[in-house]
Amino acid sequence: MTKAIRIGTRASALAHAQTQLVADALAEASGRTVELVDVTTYGDVNRGSLAQIGGTGVFVSALRDRLLDGTVDVAVHSLKDLPTAEPEGLALGAVPVRGHWADALVAPGARTLAALPAGARVGTGSPRRAAQLLAARPDLEIIDIRGNVDSRLKRVLGGPDVPDERRLDAVVLAHAGLDRLGRAGVVTEVLGPDVMLPAPGQGALAVECRGDDEGTAALLAALDDRGSRATVTAERALLAALEAGCAAPVGALATVIDAGRLELTAGAFALDGTVSVRRTATGSSGEPARLGRELAAGLLAEGAAALMGEHV
């Protein structure tokens, strides 16, 4: 009997929904049984803010450990959570078709960002989102929040277990996560890149396997999407060249212009939203990492390192 393919995943509802997408596609492509294996990561047990605990790798390391020790054959991550350094002994087997890259606002009364009341309390655990929110609306009070999607939505949409002092006027969440949970209907505004550049790799999934597991790598190749891999490679190369972690106030978005070219827009932001550096460049889709590195050099020349400060 052929062994089942074991896929490591975080235990949250969103992680399960994302991993199930990969599991279904892998089962169809391989004809094999696929099992999900829950893994608890450091980011799941430490409830401190991402800025405090150091966001790089906190949702990833335990999954990679289970891959390396053979507990699982495949691990599925939100690609934006991956450290930019290449992991020893592992391979990025697939980047499936990317989901919605944008951030989304959820607010009572279908309010947009511009329509929020003066001094509105907006929840996010991301320095990148906080900085860009303050750039758009300096009057906002940014509330640092962690937790799963439902717990964040309750603080806006209400519930019997949410006291008034914990209520928020809005939260900002990844649109792709809401899509995958079937909750896209709560979105009151999709925040475009002119207002909020996404995290590098946002909306994409990363499917890793052991570097010496050629059989699994061959199966995962069927799930890989060339355009999605090119765009996230450009974005992550920029992040690596800036020497910034996934909690840094840096946004980047690459898009496929045509079959041969990419456009990459990126920005670095002061945490209080008062200053930013933003640039756009185009390059060959066959050399996405080069495009990312070149744009990063331009951002650094304009002072991006000083804006990122302690997050670099």
Side-chain angles (χ1 to χ4, degrees):
M1 180 180 296
T2 304
K3 289 175 57 179
I5 301 171
R6 300 159 301 172
I7 304 184
T9 176
R10 293 171 61 201
S12 71
L14 176 55
H16 267 224
Q18 294 181 156
T19 302
Q20 193 62 56
L21 293 173
V22 173
D24 291 345
L26 186 55
E28 182 176 353
S30 68
R32 291 177 51 188
T33 301
V34 178
E35 297 176 355
L36 270 57
V37 179
D38 287 348
V39 177
T40 300
T41 70
Y42 179 69
D44 295 318
V45 297
N46 189 315
R47 308 313 299 168
S49 71
L50 292 181
Q52 290 174 334
I53 67 176
T56 304
V58 298
F59 298 114
V60 172
S61 296
L63 283 162
R64 286 178 162 176
D65 289 343
R66 299 292 80 77
L67 257 181
L68 290 169
D69 69 18
T71 302
V72 300
D73 307 300
V74 172
V76 176
H77 316 276
S78 292
L79 194 141
K80 68 182 179 65
D81 293 335
L82 286 188
T84 54
E86 291 293 330
E88 186 174 352
L90 299 179
L92 182 56
V95 178
V97 175
R98 190 176 192 173
H100 207 314
W101 51 261
D103 288 298
L105 186 81
V106 181
R111 286 191 174 116
T112 62
L113 181 60
L116 292 176
R121 288 160 45 90
V122 181
T124 178
S126 161
R128 172 191 60 82
R129 289 172 179 155
Q132 293 182 86
L133 285 168
L134 289 172
R137 287 281 307 268
D139 61 299
L140 297 177
E141 180 183 359
I142 305 300
I143 306 299
D144 186 46
I145 59 171
R146 290 279 311 277
N148 61 39
V149 170
D150 281 335
S151 69
R152 298 187 198 198
L153 291 177
K154 279 184 180 180
R155 294 187 65 176
V156 172
L157 304 178
D161 56 344
V162 183
D164 289 344
E165 63 270 18
R166 287 181 56 79
R167 293 289 182 93
L168 299 171
D169 295 294
V171 292
V172 178
L173 299 164
H175 202 303
L178 293 169
D179 284 341
R180 289 164 183 156
L181 287 170
R183 303 297 300 277
V186 301
V187 174
T188 58
E189 183 179 10
V190 178
L191 300 173
D194 55 330
V195 175
M196 185 168 294
L197 282 169
Q202 184 161 301
L205 299 178
V207 188
E208 288 188 317
C209 63
R210 288 182 292 280
D212 60 359
D213 188 350
E214 296 180 0
T216 299
L219 295 176
L220 294 180
L223 279 59
D224 195 56
D225 180 73
R226 179 181 296 182
S228 297
R229 186 180 280 263
T231 58
V232 301
T233 297
E235 294 164 18
R236 284 170 52 75
L238 175 133
L239 192 66
L242 292 177
E243 298 183 355
C246 61
V250 173
L253 177 64
T255 55
V256 178
I257 300 174
D258 54 42
R261 296 191 67 74
L262 297 176
E263 179 178 88
L264 176 61
T265 298
F269 311 95
L271 291 177
D272 63 3
T274 57
V275 185
S276 65
V277 175
R278 183 182 174 114
R279 290 175 67 100
T280 298
T282 60
S284 169
S285 59
E287 296 183 289
R290 178 178 178 179
L291 174 60
R293 291 191 297 267
E294 290 177 348
L295 189 57
L299 291 174
L300 290 170
E302 293 189 25
L307 293 183
M308 293 183 293
E310 63 188 36
H311 292 276
V312 174

